[in-house]
Amino acid sequence: MVYRGLPSADHDTKSYARNLAQQAHWERDRRVSVMYRPLKYSYQRDSTGRLATGPDGKLIVAGKEEKGVDVLCALALVREAADPGVDLVILASSDSDLEPALDEALRLGSAKVETVSWHDPAQPGRRQQLRPTDRARRLWNTRLGENEFQRSRDLTNYA
């Protein structure tokens, strides 16, 4: 299961199309499902405080952010960990907002839970691994380095 933000077709037509093409490509493998949450956009305002528009009449984007994807991941983690047909759940994220869901999945005790994290030895102080809040709980973490990162990249041109 892949959870990610989806650019707006109105604001970023090419990225929107690439995301959908990548989803279709990845989901040819029945083991993969991609779920999107629309990106949240903020807009420029003019000197009067009104939303500013460009020469094309469209709102001018000031920024965008991914919202709610962590909640979808948290729900999926707990749901899959509680499923009696699931033996192992692997969470690939370093988002500390997922720690309560990780705690709950471990508390359920139905499925084994493991994590995966990118490991960059050049940044020793940077926390890269999710851990349960109860440090007495043992949790297997697989660290992936630069070589694994490079080999896992999707280099397909979805343009």
Side-chain angles (χ1 to χ4, degrees):
M1 292 176 211
V2 177
Y3 296 92
R4 62 191 298 189
L6 180 64
S8 164
D10 293 331
H11 298 307
D12 194 350
T13 307
K14 290 179 181 176
S15 291
Y16 175 81
R18 283 193 304 268
N19 271 264
L20 295 184
Q22 185 180 51
Q23 176 186 18
H25 180 77
W26 286 4
E27 287 183 343
R28 282 192 238 162
D29 182 331
R30 284 188 254 160
R31 298 171 298 172
V32 177
S33 59
V34 179
M35 277 76 56
Y36 287 112
R37 292 264 313 157
L39 292 178
K40 299 290 182 186
Y41 289 83
S42 58
Y43 304 98
Q44 286 185 9
R45 296 190 174 268
D46 64 20
S47 58
T48 67
R50 293 186 193 148
L51 292 173
T53 56
D56 58 1
K58 292 185 177 184
L59 294 174
I60 300 171
V61 174
K64 60 185 174 185
E65 62 181 321
E66 202 175 72
K67 299 294 284 179
V69 172
D70 54 349
V71 174
L72 291 175
C73 287
L75 291 169
L77 171 63
V78 173
R79 181 183 61 244
E80 295 301 315
D83 184 334
V86 174
D87 296 327
L88 173 65
V89 179
I90 301 172
L91 177 62
S93 176
S94 60
D95 187 341
S96 61
D97 288 344
L98 295 173
E99 283 178 355
L102 182 60
D103 290 340
E104 180 63 14
L106 291 168
R107 188 194 65 74
L108 290 169
S110 302
K112 185 175 180 182
V113 179
E114 298 179 4
T115 60
V116 173
S117 61
W118 299 117
H119 176 66
D120 184 358
Q123 298 180 344
R126 183 170 173 245
R127 184 172 161 206
Q128 300 166 337
Q129 174 183 339
L130 272 179
R131 293 190 172 100
T133 54
D134 177 0
R135 298 295 190 231
R137 285 194 175 266
R138 308 270 307 159
L139 180 70
W140 184 264
N141 174 262
T142 300
R143 289 181 171 185
L144 304 176
E146 179 68 23
N147 289 336
E148 292 84 8
F149 174 77
Q150 293 302 330
R151 287 195 309 260
S152 70
R153 292 179 63 205
D154 180 356
L155 300 176
T156 306
N157 182 355
Y158 294 104

